[in-house]
Amino acid sequence: MKKHGYEIKDTDSIVTPALIYYRELIEENLDKMVSVAGDIDRLWPHVKSHKMEKLVRLQLARGIAKFKCATIAEAEMVAECGAKEAVIAYPLIGPNMDRFLDLCTAFPGTRFWAIGDDFASLKALSDKALERNQKVYTLIDVNMGTNRTGIRPDRLYDLYKQCCVLPGLLLDGLHCYDGNHGIEDFDKRMEAVEQADKKVFAVAEQLREEGIGCSVLIMGGTPSFPCHARFSHVYMSPGTCLVSDYGYFQRFKDENFIPAGILMTRVVSHPEDGYFTIDLGYKGIAADPPGERGKLLGVEHASSAGQNEEHWIWKMDEGYETEVPEIGTVLYVIPTHICPTSALYPEALVAANGVITDCWKVTARNRKLTW
């Protein structure tokens, strides 16, 4: 990737490290996301990658009205924006049950969905809702192979039957995240998705044949949503693709989403011959996944030599020691993982045509807004 595509004019007043979002690229990625989905009404995109009110409103303006959220703070954010529906893709345990019910009361214009994978927990949610004269729209969370949350498909039918009679719940579907299907080869990814989806579809069909509501199927993430798109009766929940990052850009060539969230940094030291240090430590860029944390642009023949909280040390390759960038040089890094990177900053500077034109607050960066 070329440095010049991300260069910003008039950088003298920009404090580094800085998170920059490129509006043209985000708009382009949004167009691609809608095109892949085929029908804008089938999109239920995740907001956890950006956590920004401005980006939610950008999608609402395109006609996207349903959003997936990782936290109650994110759900509050999308409701404030006027979202019609929001699912919290995390089991509600302990005080989060009351926080969720408070949210439902505060925003009657938004239909909030809870998810769960445990009968006792869902019964507790049902009981709390009844105490408050409420009912909760609910999806059963399915373990599609990530082994993170969810009920295994072979146990799904029994749990659904147990929970569908809980009087405080309005159970009507499934939440199916398949992060384990991040397979680079599209055909192999498609095959894995189809095999997993068939198990879920069979249970949903059996429930419907018995007269039990199971109409909402929210499936996939950025790597797999093009695979789910072929099934017209499901919703798709991509998230990262809107901003994208170097990790996804490198792995999923078939999707062609361009990284639109970049970190601006400066060279601050030449600690040794052939070495240079930038002001971008691991407090400014996601420390996951293992390996390369970001792609440094514009400096050929340099490799990472270590990173600390506020410093990132680079070493020029043998034979190129004299080509170290000067102290004060502005550089750009594409994060390997944009989602936790964005959450490290209170705001993103927004660029258009190489100029900073706006500043977008990372609204739901904190886990609590009001409730």
Side-chain angles (χ1 to χ4, degrees):
M1 304 191 72
K2 300 296 184 182
K3 172 187 173 184
H4 64 77
Y6 294 108
E7 282 185 325
I8 301 297
K9 305 169 187 175
D10 301 323
T11 61
D12 289 351
S13 63
I14 299 176
V15 177
T16 53
L19 175 65
I20 302 178
Y21 273 23
Y22 294 76
R23 178 154 185 159
E24 299 106 317
L25 296 179
I26 289 173
E27 295 266 15
E28 184 178 331
N29 287 339
L30 180 53
D31 289 341
K32 292 175 185 175
M33 185 176 78
V34 172
S35 177
V36 171
D39 181 351
I40 206 165
D41 291 332
R42 295 178 61 204
L43 279 170
W44 206 309
H46 211 319
V47 303
K48 56 95 178 178
S49 294
H50 55 83
K51 298 176 180 284
M52 293 181 184
E53 173 193 340
K54 291 292 184 70
L55 268 182
V56 171
R57 293 191 184 279
L58 186 66
Q59 293 173 84
L60 283 165
R62 294 290 190 94
I64 298 171
K66 299 178 284 290
F67 297 92
K68 186 157 80 168
C69 310
T71 66
I72 288 175
E74 291 177 10
E76 180 180 345
M77 175 185 72
V78 302
E80 283 277 9
C81 292
K84 291 182 180 178
E85 303 196 53
V87 59
I88 297 181
Y90 205 91
L92 299 173
I93 304 296
N96 278 344
M97 292 185 185
D98 287 313
R99 293 177 68 203
F100 177 85
L101 293 170
D102 288 341
L103 201 61
C104 293
T105 300
F107 295 96
T110 300
R111 175 179 290 181
F112 294 97
W113 294 81
I115 72 167
D117 58 16
D118 174 75
F119 178 76
S121 300
L122 288 168
K123 184 179 184 304
L125 178 61
S126 172
D127 292 344
K128 279 185 173 289
L130 289 177
E131 289 172 6
R132 299 169 53 139
N133 295 315
Q134 292 177 256
K135 291 197 174 185
V136 177
Y137 288 96
T138 307
L139 306 172
I140 296 296
D141 189 26
V142 184
N143 181 359
M144 302 293 282
T146 61
N147 294 329
R148 187 170 70 183
T149 64
I151 188 82
R152 279 178 12 197
D154 61 324
R155 298 175 181 173
L156 172 58
Y157 174 82
D158 291 339
L159 178 63
Y160 204 102
K161 289 276 287 188
Q162 272 187 297
C163 295
C164 71
V165 296
L166 290 172
L169 304 185
L170 297 171
L171 184 59
D172 192 24
L174 307 172
H175 172 258
C176 308
Y177 174 66
D178 55 359
N180 54 305
H181 291 151
I183 303 167
E184 292 187 29
D185 182 87
F186 177 77
D187 291 336
K188 292 179 180 178
R189 193 186 327 146
M190 185 74 229
E191 182 181 358
V193 167
E194 283 186 334
Q195 290 178 358
D197 284 2
K198 285 178 181 178
K199 297 176 183 178
V200 173
F201 294 160
V203 175
E205 182 61 27
Q206 183 178 357
L207 291 166
R208 288 192 288 264
E209 287 176 355
E210 295 177 18
I212 299 171
C214 189
S215 65
V216 176
L217 303 180
I218 303 177
M219 311 194 79
T222 291
S224 63
F225 92 99
C227 305
H228 296 290
R230 64 174 296 183
F231 303 114
S232 61
H233 62 296
V234 308
Y235 294 98
M236 292 158 282
S237 57
T240 304
C241 65
L242 192 62
V243 183
S244 194
D245 54 31
Y246 192 67
Y248 276 12
F249 178 79
Q250 284 291 95
R251 291 174 60 199
F252 305 114
K253 301 294 187 182
D254 58 284
E255 297 194 353
N256 197 31
F257 292 105
I258 305 299
I262 307 297
L263 297 171
M264 179 188 290
T265 181
R266 284 186 173 91
V267 177
V268 296
S269 179
H270 291 163
E272 177 58 88
D273 291 345
Y275 284 75
F276 65 97
T277 300
I278 60 177
D279 58 356
L280 182 60
Y282 50 71
K283 284 185 176 178
I285 189 170
D288 77 315
E292 189 178 24
R293 293 173 180 168
K295 175 66 174 177
L296 178 65
L297 303 179
V299 184
E300 301 297 330
H301 311 294
S303 56
S304 175
Q307 192 177 37
N308 306 111
E309 293 183 33
E310 305 293 352
H311 306 85
W312 197 346
I313 308 157
W314 291 80
K315 179 183 179 181
M316 301 303 297
D317 297 340
E318 186 175 353
Y320 295 91
E321 291 87 351
T322 61
E323 296 185 14
V324 293
E326 295 181 2
I327 291 175
T329 300
V330 172
L331 298 175
Y332 300 85
V333 174
I334 307 175
T336 299
H337 195 181
I338 189 62
C339 310
T341 297
S342 289
L344 295 172
Y345 293 83
E347 61 192 19
L349 301 178
V350 180
N353 298 314
V355 177
I356 300 300
T357 60
D358 205 347
C359 179
W360 292 351
K361 182 180 178 182
V362 186
T363 316
R365 178 189 184 209
N366 295 327
R367 290 186 174 271
K368 184 177 181 180
L369 299 181
T370 305
W371 289 274

